[in-house]
Amino acid sequence: MGVDALRLLDRMVGVPLCWLVSIIRRIGRWILTARPLPPPRRILIIKLSEMGSTVLAYPAIEELKREIPGVELFFLVFKNNAAIVDVLEILPSANIITVDYGSLDRLLISGFRAMKRLLTERIDTTIDMDLFSRLTALLAFLVCRGNRVGFHRYNDEGLYRGNLLTHRVIYSPHIHTSAAFMALIKSLFESPDDEPHHRGAIDPAGLTLPAYSPRQIDETSVRNKLAAAGLPQNGNATIILINPNSSDIFPLRKWPLDYFAELCQRLLTALPHGWLVITGVASEGKDAQFIRDRVQSPRCIDFTGQTSFRELLALYGHASLMITNDSGPAHFSALLSLPTIVLFGPETPRLYGPMGHKHKSMYADFACSPCVSVYNSKKSPCTDNRCLKAIPPQLVLKEALALLPVQTTESRSD
């Protein structure tokens, strides 16, 4: 299934079901005596989509583990996003529960299996990090009769997903997403009646990520693949990663391919010993081929579809810099402290900038930006991303050279 089909399903099926179940819940609360909420011990975190946002959720999940020693965590995620949960080592791999939306049949079958598994786990708390998804709100209600934490619209127009939460948190579009996720965790330890949640300051600068160390098997595999592609193994090459892709959730985030091609030409001219490695999944190989056809240099390598996720992270450890669209790799690189330039346009770095200090967010800051948000399901009316076209390759080149290690830029200018 495509992303638009998932959005349509969530709206057309999720909204009426949320309304109906909310009515049933209200009637039940009139008839039945309310039971006290259980202490959180077996917690389900729901974060189906967006691997990059899962990285931003890491500090909040670690805070949860600190507050509840011995807590048993479960994580519900789309199958193609599960790799980042495994890498972050948030919880045992056996507790990662996946849903496959490759087709409607797969979605229904895998969804049924996930629901069956969760019903047997006696979940007492759910934390829904998928913002305003209706189907995740329904799922949380069905598998958990205890604490249910998530974002609630309160007086906002739109974004209806019923009244199925016990801890309803205000979503603020003015704070970094890592802080918004932390607000969910903090609200769990507040009285459900003390609304709205969470009323308190959260400083994103104080939130940190783990340092990822690639496995030796992945290091060896990446070195062999780089050598096979012709990259010198004498240690003199400066590797710059180029990620011209973004997820299919929001393709408007892509900087123009001809801009990437021009930037690559300028980088190879400025860095005679520089090597460019284009990354992405196999289906994005055509973009890499477009760039290589323009650049016409053996120092520009196509690595799309040639690495596993862990090998990709190992590749980050060999690089001096990455230049990427606003997408998951911008956040993955923070796990290895890789200096990164992130190109923003329809979305804003104020909400989704990578964590840490080794990145440079480039943003034209148009009056119409950001044109996507949770309020429009991240679906923009724009078909011409001039906000990204306003960032010229020569300006990105300047920032790239400034972020490279001093000794690298000095030796390349000799």
Side-chain angles (χ1 to χ4, degrees), residues 132 134 153-160 374-375:
F132 288 96
R134 288 89 178 188
R153 71 172 183 170
Y154 285 101
N155 299 318
D156 293 333
E157 294 290 338
L159 299 176
Y160 174 80
V374 300
Y375 299 108

Side-chain angles (χ1 to χ4, degrees), residues 327-397:
S327 58
H331 303 285
F332 308 152
S333 66
L335 299 174
L336 291 98
S337 296
L338 172 64
T340 302
I341 293 175
V342 191
L343 304 164
F344 281 91
E347 190 53 275
T348 169
R350 299 183 187 101
L351 270 67
Y352 288 102
M355 297 177 64
H357 305 289
K358 290 196 173 183
H359 68 272
K360 170 69 177 180
S361 295
M362 302 192 69
Y363 185 46
D365 210 2
F366 274 25
C368 55
S369 295
C371 61
V372 296
S373 70
V374 300
Y375 299 108
N376 59 14
S377 299
K378 296 198 172 183
K379 191 168 178 64
S380 173
C382 181
T383 58
D384 181 11
N385 57 353
R386 298 177 189 174
C387 52
L388 278 167
K389 295 175 182 177
I391 304 174
Q394 56 268 31
L395 183 57
V396 180
L397 173 69

Side-chain angles (χ1 to χ4, degrees), residues 197-256:
H197 303 291
H198 161 70
R199 287 175 285 182
I202 300 173
D203 181 9
L207 307 180
T208 59
L209 294 176
Y212 177 74
S213 297
R215 302 178 304 186
Q216 186 59 49
I217 187 174
D218 300 317
E219 286 274 8
T220 301
S221 178
V222 165
R223 280 197 298 268
N224 291 340
K225 289 178 180 181
L226 289 172
L231 191 137
Q233 299 299 296
N234 56 13
N236 292 330
T238 298
I239 299 176
I240 299 175
L241 304 181
I242 305 293
N243 177 52
N245 310 291
S246 66
S247 72
D248 58 356
I249 292 177
F250 191 31
L252 199 64
R253 291 182 295 186
K254 296 176 68 171
W255 201 44

Side-chain angles (χ1 to χ4, degrees), residues 35-93:
R35 295 180 297 177
L37 293 172
R41 290 291 181 266
R42 298 174 65 82
I43 301 178
L44 170 66
I45 297 167
I46 304 173
K47 187 74 184 75
L48 291 175
S49 61
E50 297 187 334
M51 294 175 73
S53 289
T54 303
V55 176
L56 298 181
Y58 178 88
I61 299 171
E62 286 299 297
E63 175 71 11
L64 180 63
K65 292 161 68 175
R66 283 191 295 270
E67 289 287 341
I68 312 175
V71 64
E72 184 164 12
L73 296 179
F74 300 84
F75 205 108
L76 183 67
V77 62
F78 281 141
K79 183 178 179 180
N80 59 339
N81 294 330
I84 186 61
V85 185
D86 190 40
V87 161
L88 289 172
E89 298 182 347
I90 296 169
L91 69 169
S93 296

